[in-house]
Amino acid sequence: MTNNTLQIKNWLLSKSPETTDFDEDYNIVEGGILDSLQFLELVYLIEHLSGHNVDISQVGISDFLTLKTIEAKFFY
Amino acid sequence: MQAPTTKRLGESLKPIISKLVTLSKADKHDVFNDIQWPDALPEDQFWMSEKLLSVFGTAYYDEIGTEDLYRLSKEECLNFFSLNVHGIRELLSVVVKHLHTPGFEIVSEFFHHFVDEENEHMYFFAKFCLQYGGKMYSDKRIQFPSAGSDSEINLFLVFLRMWLFEEIVDHFNYKMSTDKSLHPFIQELNMLHHKDEARHIAFGSCLLESIFRELVETRSPEDIEALRTYTKGYIKNSIELLYNPYVYQTVGLKDNYTMRSNLLENEYRKQVHFTILSKPLNKLVDYNILLNKNFYE
Protein backbone atom coordinates (compact mmCIF):
# COMPACT_ATOMS: atom_id res chain seq x y z
CA MET A 1 0.00 0.00 0.00
CA THR A 2 1.47 3.37 -0.97
CA ASN A 3 1.67 6.34 1.36
CA ASN A 4 -1.16 8.09 -0.53
CA THR A 5 -3.42 5.07 -0.28
CA LEU A 6 -2.63 4.74 3.40
CA GLN A 7 -3.58 8.37 4.01
CA ILE A 8 -6.86 7.83 2.19
CA LYS A 9 -7.49 4.67 4.18
CA ASN A 10 -6.82 6.45 7.46
CA TRP A 11 -9.13 9.27 6.45
CA LEU A 12 -11.89 6.81 5.60
CA LEU A 13 -11.40 4.99 8.89
CA SER A 14 -11.69 8.31 10.74
CA LYS A 15 -15.09 8.82 9.10
CA SER A 16 -16.29 5.33 9.90
CA PRO A 17 -15.65 4.72 13.63
CA GLU A 18 -17.34 1.32 13.61
CA THR A 19 -14.81 0.03 11.05
CA THR A 20 -11.45 -1.08 12.44
CA ASP A 21 -9.70 -2.13 9.26
CA PHE A 22 -10.18 -3.06 5.61
CA ASP A 23 -7.88 -4.13 2.77
CA GLU A 24 -7.27 -2.50 -0.58
CA ASP A 25 -9.75 -4.75 -2.39
CA TYR A 26 -12.64 -4.06 -0.04
CA ASN A 27 -15.65 -2.38 -1.68
CA ILE A 28 -15.92 0.75 0.44
CA VAL A 29 -19.19 1.88 -1.17
CA GLU A 30 -21.05 -1.41 -0.68
CA GLY A 31 -19.48 -1.75 2.74
CA GLY A 32 -20.86 1.65 3.77
CA ILE A 33 -17.49 3.22 4.50
CA LEU A 34 -17.82 5.77 1.71
CA ASP A 35 -21.17 7.41 1.09
CA SER A 36 -22.44 10.37 -0.89
CA LEU A 37 -21.95 12.78 2.00
CA GLN A 38 -18.23 12.12 2.20
CA PHE A 39 -17.55 11.92 -1.50
CA LEU A 40 -16.59 15.56 -2.09
CA GLU A 41 -14.15 15.48 0.82
CA LEU A 42 -12.55 12.37 -0.65
CA VAL A 43 -12.19 14.07 -4.02
CA TYR A 44 -10.50 17.05 -2.41
CA LEU A 45 -8.19 14.73 -0.47
CA ILE A 46 -7.23 12.90 -3.65
CA GLU A 47 -6.57 16.22 -5.39
CA HIS A 48 -4.48 17.44 -2.47
CA LEU A 49 -2.39 14.27 -2.33
CA SER A 50 -2.00 13.82 -6.08
CA GLY A 51 -1.57 17.46 -6.98
CA HIS A 52 -4.02 16.98 -9.84
CA ASN A 53 -7.54 18.18 -10.47
CA VAL A 54 -10.15 15.40 -10.57
CA ASP A 55 -12.32 15.92 -13.65
CA ILE A 56 -15.65 14.54 -12.50
CA SER A 57 -16.86 14.19 -16.07
CA GLN A 58 -14.09 11.62 -16.65
CA VAL A 59 -14.70 9.42 -13.61
CA GLY A 60 -17.44 7.19 -12.31
CA ILE A 61 -18.35 5.53 -9.04
CA SER A 62 -16.40 2.44 -10.12
CA ASP A 63 -13.18 4.45 -9.79
CA PHE A 64 -13.82 4.90 -6.07
CA LEU A 65 -14.94 1.41 -5.11
CA THR A 66 -11.69 0.19 -3.53
CA LEU A 67 -8.35 1.63 -2.43
CA LYS A 68 -6.83 -0.27 -5.34
CA THR A 69 -9.08 1.37 -7.94
CA ILE A 70 -8.48 4.79 -6.38
CA GLU A 71 -4.74 4.24 -6.50
CA ALA A 72 -4.85 3.09 -10.12
CA LYS A 73 -7.04 5.92 -11.31
CA PHE A 74 -5.60 8.92 -9.47
CA PHE A 75 -2.03 8.09 -8.44
CA TYR A 76 -0.04 6.96 -11.43
CA MET B 1 -39.04 7.07 -6.60
CA GLN B 2 -42.81 6.67 -6.24
CA ALA B 3 -45.21 8.47 -3.99
CA PRO B 4 -47.07 6.30 -1.47
CA THR B 5 -49.71 4.37 -3.40
CA THR B 6 -52.47 4.85 -0.82
CA LYS B 7 -52.05 8.61 -0.50
CA ARG B 8 -51.43 11.53 -2.76
CA LEU B 9 -48.53 13.77 -1.81
CA GLY B 10 -49.72 17.03 -0.27
CA GLU B 11 -53.23 15.80 0.55
CA SER B 12 -53.32 17.79 3.79
CA LEU B 13 -51.70 20.85 2.24
CA LYS B 14 -54.18 21.78 -0.48
CA PRO B 15 -55.00 25.25 0.90
CA ILE B 16 -51.38 26.32 1.18
CA ILE B 17 -50.48 24.86 -2.19
CA SER B 18 -53.37 26.76 -3.75
CA LYS B 19 -52.20 29.98 -2.13
CA LEU B 20 -48.62 29.48 -3.31
CA VAL B 21 -49.81 28.87 -6.87
CA THR B 22 -51.82 32.11 -6.74
CA LEU B 23 -48.79 34.01 -5.46
CA SER B 24 -46.57 32.53 -8.18
CA LYS B 25 -49.00 33.63 -10.88
CA ALA B 26 -49.23 37.14 -9.39
CA ASP B 27 -45.45 37.48 -9.24
CA LYS B 28 -44.71 36.20 -12.73
CA HIS B 29 -41.73 37.87 -14.33
CA ASP B 30 -39.63 37.44 -17.44
CA VAL B 31 -35.94 37.24 -16.57
CA PHE B 32 -34.99 36.64 -20.19
CA ASN B 33 -36.16 40.09 -21.20
CA ASP B 34 -36.57 42.17 -18.06
CA ILE B 35 -33.09 42.07 -16.52
CA GLN B 36 -30.76 44.87 -17.57
CA TRP B 37 -27.30 43.34 -17.56
CA PRO B 38 -24.46 45.83 -16.98
CA ASP B 39 -21.55 45.57 -19.41
CA ALA B 40 -19.16 45.00 -16.51
CA LEU B 41 -19.00 45.05 -12.72
CA PRO B 42 -16.31 46.93 -10.79
CA GLU B 43 -13.47 44.78 -9.46
CA ASP B 44 -12.59 47.16 -6.61
CA GLN B 45 -15.72 46.37 -4.66
CA PHE B 46 -17.21 43.47 -2.73
CA TRP B 47 -19.22 41.00 -4.80
CA MET B 48 -20.34 39.08 -1.72
CA SER B 49 -21.10 40.65 1.68
CA GLU B 50 -17.94 40.85 3.71
CA LYS B 51 -19.45 39.06 6.69
CA LEU B 52 -20.56 36.18 4.47
CA LEU B 53 -17.06 35.46 3.21
CA SER B 54 -15.78 32.04 4.26
CA VAL B 55 -12.72 33.62 5.92
CA PHE B 56 -14.53 36.28 7.90
CA GLY B 57 -13.66 36.30 11.58
CA THR B 58 -10.48 34.25 11.17
CA ALA B 59 -6.77 34.98 11.02
CA TYR B 60 -6.94 34.39 7.27
CA TYR B 61 -9.27 37.39 6.96
CA ASP B 62 -6.91 39.56 8.99
CA GLU B 63 -3.97 38.64 6.78
CA ILE B 64 -5.62 39.19 3.41
CA GLY B 65 -5.18 42.66 1.93
CA THR B 66 -8.15 44.70 0.71
CA GLU B 67 -7.59 44.03 -2.98
CA ASP B 68 -7.35 40.30 -2.40
CA LEU B 69 -10.48 40.46 -0.25
CA TYR B 70 -12.34 42.01 -3.18
CA ARG B 71 -11.00 39.27 -5.45
CA LEU B 72 -11.95 36.61 -2.91
CA SER B 73 -15.45 38.07 -2.64
CA LYS B 74 -15.81 37.91 -6.42
CA GLU B 75 -14.74 34.27 -6.51
CA GLU B 76 -16.94 33.35 -3.56
CA CYS B 77 -19.87 35.04 -5.31
CA LEU B 78 -19.14 33.01 -8.44
CA ASN B 79 -18.86 29.85 -6.33
CA PHE B 80 -22.13 30.62 -4.58
CA PHE B 81 -23.96 31.24 -7.85
CA SER B 82 -22.35 28.11 -9.35
CA LEU B 83 -23.62 26.08 -6.41
CA ASN B 84 -27.07 27.44 -7.18
CA VAL B 85 -26.80 26.32 -10.80
CA HIS B 86 -25.73 22.78 -9.83
CA GLY B 87 -28.28 22.54 -7.03
CA ILE B 88 -31.10 23.71 -9.27
CA ARG B 89 -30.11 21.18 -11.93
CA GLU B 90 -30.57 18.44 -9.35
CA LEU B 91 -33.89 19.86 -8.12
CA LEU B 92 -35.28 20.18 -11.62
CA SER B 93 -34.36 16.61 -12.56
CA VAL B 94 -36.21 15.26 -9.52
CA VAL B 95 -39.30 17.43 -9.83
CA VAL B 96 -39.75 17.08 -13.60
CA LYS B 97 -39.51 13.31 -13.30
CA HIS B 98 -42.64 13.29 -11.13
CA LEU B 99 -44.83 15.86 -12.80
CA HIS B 100 -48.30 14.35 -13.36
CA THR B 101 -47.30 10.88 -12.18
CA PRO B 102 -49.43 8.80 -9.78
CA GLY B 103 -49.37 10.23 -6.28
CA PHE B 104 -48.19 13.69 -7.34
CA GLU B 105 -51.50 15.00 -8.66
CA ILE B 106 -52.05 17.59 -5.93
CA VAL B 107 -48.55 19.09 -6.08
CA SER B 108 -48.11 19.05 -9.85
CA GLU B 109 -49.55 22.49 -10.50
CA PHE B 110 -47.18 24.04 -7.96
CA PHE B 111 -44.36 21.93 -9.42
CA HIS B 112 -44.95 23.63 -12.79
CA HIS B 113 -44.39 27.04 -11.23
CA PHE B 114 -41.43 25.68 -9.31
CA VAL B 115 -39.84 24.35 -12.50
CA ASP B 116 -40.57 27.61 -14.33
CA GLU B 117 -39.02 29.74 -11.60
CA GLU B 118 -36.03 27.49 -10.93
CA ASN B 119 -35.24 27.39 -14.64
CA GLU B 120 -35.13 31.19 -14.60
CA HIS B 121 -32.88 31.19 -11.54
CA MET B 122 -30.50 28.73 -13.16
CA TYR B 123 -30.42 30.93 -16.27
CA PHE B 124 -29.51 34.16 -14.57
CA PHE B 125 -27.02 32.65 -12.11
CA ALA B 126 -25.24 30.86 -14.94
CA LYS B 127 -25.27 33.95 -17.15
CA PHE B 128 -23.82 36.04 -14.32
CA CYS B 129 -20.97 33.58 -13.75
CA LEU B 130 -20.10 33.30 -17.43
CA GLN B 131 -20.50 36.98 -18.28
CA TYR B 132 -18.69 38.51 -15.30
CA GLY B 133 -16.42 35.67 -14.21
CA GLY B 134 -15.81 33.81 -17.44
CA LYS B 135 -16.56 30.53 -15.73
CA MET B 136 -18.61 28.45 -13.34
CA TYR B 137 -17.04 26.46 -10.54
CA SER B 138 -17.55 22.80 -11.34
CA ASP B 139 -19.78 20.38 -9.50
CA LYS B 140 -17.60 17.65 -8.07
CA ARG B 141 -20.40 15.46 -6.77
CA ILE B 142 -21.24 12.12 -8.31
CA GLN B 143 -24.36 9.96 -8.45
CA PHE B 144 -24.27 7.35 -5.71
CA PRO B 145 -26.28 4.12 -5.67
CA SER B 146 -29.68 4.64 -4.05
CA ALA B 147 -29.64 3.99 -0.32
CA GLY B 148 -32.70 1.78 -0.35
CA SER B 149 -36.04 0.99 -1.94
CA ASP B 150 -38.29 2.56 0.72
CA SER B 151 -40.14 5.06 -1.46
CA GLU B 152 -41.47 7.16 1.41
CA ILE B 153 -38.05 7.51 3.00
CA ASN B 154 -36.53 8.38 -0.36
CA LEU B 155 -39.26 10.97 -0.82
CA PHE B 156 -38.39 12.51 2.53
CA LEU B 157 -34.69 12.62 1.66
CA VAL B 158 -35.35 14.25 -1.70
CA PHE B 159 -37.44 17.04 -0.22
CA LEU B 160 -35.08 17.45 2.73
CA ARG B 161 -32.18 18.09 0.38
CA MET B 162 -34.20 20.49 -1.75
CA TRP B 163 -35.49 22.49 1.15
CA LEU B 164 -32.18 22.68 3.06
CA PHE B 165 -30.36 23.88 -0.02
CA GLU B 166 -32.96 26.60 -0.52
CA GLU B 167 -32.85 27.72 3.11
CA ILE B 168 -29.07 28.07 3.10
CA VAL B 169 -29.07 29.92 -0.18
CA ASP B 170 -31.84 32.21 0.99
CA HIS B 171 -29.79 33.30 3.99
CA PHE B 172 -27.15 34.60 1.61
CA ASN B 173 -29.66 36.03 -0.88
CA TYR B 174 -31.47 38.03 1.75
CA LYS B 175 -28.30 39.48 3.29
CA MET B 176 -26.82 40.40 -0.07
CA SER B 177 -30.06 41.85 -1.45
CA THR B 178 -29.91 44.70 1.07
CA ASP B 179 -26.13 45.14 1.32
CA LYS B 180 -25.33 48.62 -0.02
CA SER B 181 -21.61 47.77 -0.22
CA LEU B 182 -22.46 45.51 -3.16
CA HIS B 183 -23.16 46.67 -6.70
CA PRO B 184 -26.91 47.33 -7.17
CA PHE B 185 -27.07 44.63 -9.82
CA ILE B 186 -25.76 41.99 -7.43
CA GLN B 187 -28.30 43.17 -4.85
CA GLU B 188 -31.02 42.93 -7.49
CA LEU B 189 -30.26 39.34 -8.52
CA ASN B 190 -30.17 38.23 -4.92
CA MET B 191 -33.53 39.91 -4.21
CA LEU B 192 -35.08 38.35 -7.32
CA HIS B 193 -34.06 34.91 -6.12
CA HIS B 194 -35.11 35.58 -2.54
CA LYS B 195 -38.66 36.56 -3.55
CA ASP B 196 -39.28 33.34 -5.48
CA GLU B 197 -37.51 31.14 -2.96
CA ALA B 198 -39.77 32.30 -0.15
CA ARG B 199 -42.61 30.37 -1.82
CA HIS B 200 -40.47 27.33 -2.53
CA ILE B 201 -39.23 27.23 1.04
CA ALA B 202 -42.75 27.55 2.42
CA PHE B 203 -43.88 24.66 0.22
CA GLY B 204 -40.87 22.53 1.06
CA SER B 205 -41.05 22.95 4.81
CA CYS B 206 -44.78 22.13 4.96
CA LEU B 207 -44.28 19.08 2.82
CA LEU B 208 -41.29 17.92 4.82
CA GLU B 209 -43.16 18.22 8.11
CA SER B 210 -46.09 16.31 6.67
CA ILE B 211 -43.97 13.47 5.25
CA PHE B 212 -41.91 13.11 8.42
CA ARG B 213 -45.00 13.02 10.65
CA GLU B 214 -46.23 10.03 8.66
CA LEU B 215 -42.84 8.34 8.80
CA VAL B 216 -42.72 8.60 12.59
CA GLU B 217 -46.06 6.79 12.74
CA THR B 218 -45.12 4.04 10.32
CA ARG B 219 -41.37 3.44 10.65
CA SER B 220 -39.19 1.91 13.32
CA PRO B 221 -37.25 4.04 15.82
CA GLU B 222 -34.07 2.82 14.10
CA ASP B 223 -35.26 4.12 10.73
CA ILE B 224 -36.12 7.50 12.26
CA GLU B 225 -32.74 7.68 13.97
CA ALA B 226 -31.04 6.92 10.65
CA LEU B 227 -32.93 9.81 9.06
CA ARG B 228 -31.83 12.13 11.83
CA THR B 229 -28.21 11.05 11.38
CA TYR B 230 -28.43 11.59 7.64
CA THR B 231 -30.01 15.02 8.14
CA LYS B 232 -27.13 16.15 10.33
CA GLY B 233 -24.61 14.80 7.84
CA TYR B 234 -26.33 16.53 4.95
CA ILE B 235 -26.41 19.86 6.79
CA LYS B 236 -22.68 19.61 7.42
CA ASN B 237 -22.08 18.59 3.84
CA SER B 238 -24.06 21.57 2.53
CA ILE B 239 -22.07 24.05 4.59
CA GLU B 240 -18.81 22.50 3.40
CA LEU B 241 -19.75 23.32 -0.21
CA LEU B 242 -19.33 27.00 0.65
CA TYR B 243 -15.62 26.39 1.24
CA ASN B 244 -14.14 25.76 -2.17
CA PRO B 245 -10.36 25.20 -2.33
CA TYR B 246 -10.38 26.33 -5.95
CA VAL B 247 -11.69 29.72 -4.85
CA TYR B 248 -8.68 30.12 -2.56
CA GLN B 249 -6.35 28.89 -5.27
CA THR B 250 -7.73 31.36 -7.82
CA VAL B 251 -7.09 34.27 -5.48
CA GLY B 252 -3.54 33.01 -4.94
CA LEU B 253 -3.95 32.00 -1.32
CA LYS B 254 -1.45 29.35 -0.28
CA ASP B 255 -2.10 25.77 0.80
CA ASN B 256 -5.70 25.95 -0.34
CA TYR B 257 -6.73 22.49 0.89
CA THR B 258 -5.18 23.01 4.30
CA MET B 259 -6.77 26.45 4.46
CA ARG B 260 -10.15 24.91 3.73
CA SER B 261 -9.73 22.29 6.46
CA ASN B 262 -8.62 24.92 8.96
CA LEU B 263 -11.59 27.16 8.17
CA LEU B 264 -14.06 24.31 8.57
CA GLU B 265 -12.58 23.43 11.96
CA ASN B 266 -12.44 27.05 13.15
CA GLU B 267 -14.70 27.58 16.16
CA TYR B 268 -15.80 31.05 15.06
CA ARG B 269 -16.76 29.69 11.64
CA LYS B 270 -18.78 26.92 13.29
CA GLN B 271 -20.77 29.56 15.12
CA VAL B 272 -21.30 31.37 11.82
CA HIS B 273 -22.68 28.11 10.40
CA PHE B 274 -25.26 28.02 13.18
CA THR B 275 -26.28 31.56 12.21
CA ILE B 276 -26.57 30.64 8.52
CA LEU B 277 -28.66 27.63 9.48
CA SER B 278 -30.69 29.30 12.20
CA LYS B 279 -34.07 29.17 10.43
CA PRO B 280 -33.88 25.61 9.10
CA LEU B 281 -32.44 24.27 12.37
CA ASN B 282 -35.31 25.83 14.31
CA LYS B 283 -37.81 24.25 11.94
CA LEU B 284 -36.11 20.87 11.98
CA VAL B 285 -36.32 20.81 15.78
CA ASP B 286 -39.94 22.05 15.69
CA TYR B 287 -40.82 19.25 13.28
CA ASN B 288 -38.98 16.73 15.47
CA ILE B 289 -36.72 15.84 12.54
CA LEU B 290 -33.80 16.82 14.76
CA LEU B 291 -33.81 16.55 18.52
CA ASN B 292 -31.42 19.48 18.91
CA LYS B 293 -29.65 21.99 16.71
CA ASN B 294 -26.11 20.69 17.14
CA PHE B 295 -25.56 18.99 13.80
CA TYR B 296 -21.85 18.58 14.59
CA GLU B 297 -22.58 15.84 17.12
Side-chain angles (χ1 to χ4, degrees):
Chain A
M1 196 176 286
T2 66
N3 184 46
N4 289 327
T5 315
L6 190 57
Q7 288 194 66
I8 290 172
K9 178 179 177 177
N10 288 336
W11 180 82
L12 286 167
L13 284 172
S14 75
K15 300 296 176 186
S16 186
E18 63 277 5
T19 305
T20 51
D21 196 13
F22 61 95
D23 65 34
E24 54 188 3
D25 290 309
Y26 183 72
N27 189 319
I28 56 178
V29 174
E30 267 183 24
I33 294 176
L34 176 67
D35 64 26
S36 60
L37 295 181
Q38 297 149 338
F39 180 77
L40 181 60
E41 298 303 303
L42 176 60
V43 168
Y44 284 153
L45 179 60
I46 290 171
E47 290 180 330
H48 181 45
L49 293 174
S50 69
H52 300 297
N53 172 43
V54 171
D55 183 349
I56 285 298
S57 68
Q58 300 299 313
V59 303
I61 191 68
S62 59
D63 296 309
F64 298 89
L65 290 183
T66 69
L67 292 174
K68 198 177 272 185
T69 58
I70 292 172
E71 178 77 30
K73 181 70 179 181
F74 302 109
F75 301 96
Y76 43 82
Chain B
M1 178 180 82
Q2 240 187 323
T5 52
T6 55
K7 282 189 180 178
R8 295 185 301 171
L9 187 67
E11 191 78 60
S12 61
L13 304 175
K14 283 183 186 174
I16 186 166
I17 290 173
S18 176
K19 184 178 177 185
L20 291 173
V21 166
T22 301
L23 288 171
S24 282
K25 288 178 184 174
D27 198 32
K28 185 78 183 90
H29 36 69
D30 179 5
V31 303
F32 299 97
N33 290 304
D34 294 346
I35 296 179
Q36 303 301 312
W37 294 84
D39 292 333
L41 293 175
E43 302 281 334
D44 58 346
Q45 191 175 8
F46 283 106
W47 289 41
M48 175 176 271
S49 298
E50 199 172 352
K51 288 187 177 178
L52 293 176
L53 296 177
S54 66
V55 298
F56 184 80
T58 71
Y60 290 106
Y61 175 82
D62 296 332
E63 289 158 8
I64 296 174
T66 303
E67 279 189 24
D68 278 347
L69 263 185
Y70 289 152
R71 289 176 62 210
L72 178 66
S73 79
K74 174 181 175 180
E75 297 303 321
E76 294 221 335
C77 175
L78 295 175
N79 180 55
F80 174 62
F81 287 170
S82 299
L83 288 174
N84 274 271
V85 171
H86 303 316
I88 291 169
R89 183 185 301 111
E90 201 176 331
L91 300 187
L92 285 176
S93 70
V94 166
V95 171
V96 166
K97 197 165 73 169
H98 295 94
L99 274 169
H100 301 293
T101 58
F104 292 86
E105 296 87 346
I106 297 170
V107 297
S108 276
E109 185 173 7
F110 181 75
F111 274 2
H112 275 296
H113 291 283
F114 180 92
V115 166
D116 180 33
E117 288 156 8
E118 292 295 350
N119 175 56
E120 291 189 334
H121 303 162
M122 194 176 182
Y123 164 75
F124 63 61
F125 283 138
K127 184 175 168 76
F128 182 99
C129 288
L130 296 173
Q131 183 155 329
Y132 303 119
K135 65 172 184 252
M136 270 191 286
Y137 280 94
S138 58
D139 185 3
K140 287 194 179 274
R141 294 169 301 167
I142 205 170
Q143 188 69 36
F144 258 67
S146 179
S149 58
D150 188 321
S151 61
E152 285 164 345
I153 284 184
N154 286 337
L155 193 67
F156 171 81
L157 293 175
V158 159
F159 282 105
L160 173 76
R161 290 194 287 262
M162 278 171 56
W163 170 75
L164 265 172
F165 164 73
E166 289 170 340
E167 283 274 20
I168 292 170
V169 163
D170 193 57
H171 175 87
F172 282 74
N173 285 154
Y174 182 69
K175 297 278 185 197
M176 291 204 278
S177 69
T178 55
D179 184 348
K180 302 298 179 202
S181 75
L182 306 180
H183 190 279
F185 183 66
I186 292 179
Q187 293 178 53
E188 178 190 340
L189 278 193
N190 278 283
M191 177 54 82
L192 195 54
H193 195 232
H194 166 66
K195 280 185 177 174
D196 283 347
E197 286 303 307
R199 292 189 293 277
H200 301 175
I201 288 169
F203 171 78
S205 63
C206 289
L207 206 58
L208 206 65
E209 183 190 16
S210 169
I211 297 171
F212 188 75
R213 207 181 314 119
E214 286 190 34
L215 286 176
V216 168
E217 290 172 11
T218 57
R219 296 299 187 278
S220 69
E222 291 75 24
D223 282 345
I224 299 302
E225 189 53 36
L227 290 178
R228 290 191 171 120
T229 301
Y230 179 87
T231 300
K232 286 195 264 188
Y234 190 77
I235 292 170
K236 197 161 160 289
N237 194 251
S238 300
I239 285 292
E240 288 167 357
L241 289 173
L242 299 170
Y243 296 78
N244 188 333
Y246 285 97
V247 161
Y248 310 135
Q249 184 184 65
T250 302
V251 179
L253 300 172
K254 291 179 186 171
D255 300 321
N256 52 334
Y257 291 102
T258 304
M259 179 175 172
R260 178 178 187 268
S261 296
N262 290 342
L263 286 169
L264 284 168
E265 288 303 311
N266 181 283
E267 287 305 319
Y268 178 84
R269 294 306 306 165
K270 285 183 180 178
Q271 291 308 310
V272 169
H273 302 158
F274 283 114
T275 301
I276 291 170
L277 292 158
S278 176
K279 279 186 188 172
L281 286 174
N282 283 336
K283 287 179 191 170
L284 286 168
V285 171
D286 283 347
Y287 302 158
N288 201 34
I289 296 173
L290 289 183
L291 299 180
N292 62 65
K293 297 182 206 175
N294 194 354
F295 60 92
Y296 282 111
E297 287 177 2

